[in-house]
Amino acid sequence: MSIHFSTLLVTLLIDLTQAATGFQHVTCGSVLKLAHIQTNVRLHSHEVRYGSGSGQQSVTGVTETGDANSYWVVKGTEDKPCKRGVPIKCGSVIRLNHLQTRLNLHSHLFQSPLSQNQEVSAFGENGVGDSGDNWVVQCDDDLWRRDESIHFKHKDTGKSVSNGPVSTCVTNFVLFFVARYLQATFNQFGRPISGQREIAAVASQGGETQWQAMEGIYLKPSDGS
C-alpha cells in the first residue's frame, strides 16, 4: 500500500471510527494522533532533519489537527510483536511508527536542539530500527484508554530513576541512565519549521509529560481476543 493511499484511507475513515462503539482502548495496529495535554500540540514528524545532534529526522509538535504528518502506527517491539486489534496493556513496551515516512519515534543520548534535554527523533528504515525506538506506556488502568492521559517512558535511557541534574553519571565504570519521558517543550523552531514546538525526553514525570490518544483509526479487538 502506498504512503499516499494510506494517508487517504486514514482521512476517509476518521469520522467512521470516531462514531463507532467498542473503541475505548488503544489497540495494536491503530493509526492515531497523540496530543500533548499541556500545550495541545500533536506529535509530528516530516522529512526535515535536525541541523545538530544526531542529524536524524526531526520530531516536533504542531497545533494543526488536520496534518497527515501527525499520524503514528502503534506496534510491538521487534522481539515481541503485538497482535493487531489487541488492546495495549499499561506497562507494555511499544514502538510508534510514523505513517508517512515509516520511521520510528526514537531517543538517544544526544542533546535536544533548543532545551538541551534529550533529543527525540524519527529513526530506522521501513519500520526497522533499534532498541532506542522502544517506549513504555505508563497509565493508571490495566489497559491504555483513549480518554485518559498517559506517559511515554523511553526504555533504553530510563533504566534507573534519578533526581539529579545530569542525564548520565559514571560510578566505578558503570553507566546509569536517568529516566526519560516524552514531552513537548515551550521552545519553538525557526525556519524551515517555524512555530513548531520542540519534542524532547525529560527526566521528570508530571503534567508536562502527559499525552492522550486523539484522532485516528482504532482497530477493534476480534471476538477471540
Side-chain angles (χ1 to χ4, degrees):
M1 183 182 293
S2 70
I3 290 176
H4 296 297
F5 182 77
S6 298
T7 304
L8 178 61
L9 182 61
V10 168
T11 304
L12 290 174
L13 292 181
I14 290 299
D15 291 337
L16 294 177
T17 57
Q18 288 180 331
T21 59
F23 291 90
Q24 297 92 343
H25 299 108
V26 175
T27 54
C28 178
S30 294
V31 181
L32 53 75
K33 293 183 179 181
L34 290 163
H36 182 244
I37 292 178
Q38 190 176 63
T39 61
N40 200 34
V41 296
R42 273 27 176 199
L43 187 69
H44 180 90
S45 193
H46 38 227
E47 293 183 353
V48 177
R49 292 183 174 271
Y50 288 123
S52 61
S54 69
Q56 293 174 4
Q57 183 169 296
S58 58
V59 172
T60 62
V62 297
T63 56
E64 172 59 52
T65 60
D67 195 319
N69 276 315
S70 299
Y71 284 111
W72 301 83
V73 184
V74 179
K75 295 185 173 184
T77 62
E78 300 229 357
D79 59 349
K80 192 176 181 181
C82 56
K83 183 179 178 181
R84 287 172 61 87
V86 173
I88 300 296
K89 293 181 180 180
C90 296
S92 295
V93 182
I94 66 164
R95 290 172 298 153
L96 292 169
N97 183 249
H98 189 240
L99 180 66
Q100 289 283 67
T101 62
R102 304 288 306 279
L103 304 185
N104 296 324
L105 186 71
H106 182 88
S107 192
H108 41 212
L109 296 178
F110 284 92
Q111 278 195 337
S112 60
L114 302 182
S115 65
Q116 282 73 58
N117 283 294
Q118 185 169 294
E119 182 187 274
V120 173
S121 63
F123 173 77
E125 184 174 353
N126 293 323
V128 178
D130 62 24
S131 61
D133 306 335
N134 295 339
W135 299 83
V136 181
V137 178
Q138 295 191 331
C139 41
D140 294 330
D141 294 320
D142 292 334
L143 302 173
W144 178 2
R145 292 183 56 90
R146 292 176 56 192
D147 59 356
E148 292 183 353
S149 64
I150 65 164
H151 303 271
F152 293 105
K153 179 181 176 180
H154 189 240
K155 185 168 177 59
D156 259 12
T157 56
K159 294 179 180 177
S160 65
V161 180
S162 168
N163 293 322
V166 296
S167 60
T168 60
C169 61
V170 178
T171 306
N172 294 330
F173 303 103
V174 178
L175 185 66
F176 294 89
F177 296 103
V178 173
R180 291 292 171 171
Y181 298 91
L182 190 68
Q183 177 189 343
T185 75
F186 287 95
N187 298 283
Q188 295 186 345
F189 288 99
R191 297 180 65 182
I193 49 176
S194 299
Q196 296 186 18
R197 289 189 185 272
E198 178 191 56
I199 301 295
V202 299
S204 300
Q205 182 197 77
E208 70 280 357
T209 61
Q210 290 181 322
W211 297 82
Q212 185 174 344
M214 300 299 286
E215 308 87 354
I217 296 177
Y218 293 87
L219 302 182
K220 189 175 181 179
S222 64
D223 294 335
S225 297

